[in-house]
Amino acid sequence: MLLPEKPRSYTGLRVWGDEPADDIQVSFDEQYIEEIQVRFDVADISLPLIGGVCDLARHFDCVFATPEGAIIQPSREAVIRTVLQSDGAHFVQDPQGFIEKAVRLDREDR
């Protein structure tokens, strides 16, 4: 109900939404869900979507994990704070500054 389901392209994967924007991907084997991935469009944040995903996570007693391994409680405030502090949000706010910083950090790591 949060996003329209896309036609299945792979066995074991269901996708709702649109990959360049907001989407939810559920990977599963024949019996169990293996992974759920949620991506929010930081250029056009949908507060109702974030709230709905948090409601579902709380209903199933789940938490969120970022790619870096941080654990986020399923509250709108915590998720929005995390989204706004993400690399994606920093890029949207200042693409040139983000790239310049990434290049500088890459040079420092060499």
Side-chain angles (χ1 to χ4, degrees), residues 2-22:
L2 296 172
L3 294 168
E5 185 170 8
K6 291 180 71 171
R8 291 184 188 198
S9 56
Y10 300 102
T11 302
L13 178 67
R14 293 180 68 182
V15 178
W16 290 264
D18 186 26
E19 189 173 326
D22 301 308

Side-chain angles (χ1 to χ4, degrees), residues 37-83:
Q37 177 176 298
V38 180
R39 291 185 293 192
F40 299 112
D41 182 354
V42 296
D44 186 21
I45 295 174
S46 170
L47 298 179
L49 177 61
I50 290 174
V53 169
C54 288
D55 291 344
L56 279 170
R58 282 191 305 274
H59 177 78
F60 290 104
D61 198 27
C62 296
V63 295
F64 300 110
T66 67
E68 297 79 26
I71 302 299
I72 311 301
Q73 293 301 316
S75 74
R76 293 170 199 219
E77 296 79 14
V79 171
I80 291 168
R81 187 177 327 107
T82 302
V83 168

Side-chain angles (χ1 to χ4, degrees), residues 96-109:
Q96 183 174 351
F98 181 85
I99 292 170
E100 288 170 358
K101 180 179 177 183
V103 168
R104 186 179 73 250
L105 291 173
D106 186 51
R107 287 183 183 145
E108 290 172 5
D109 286 343

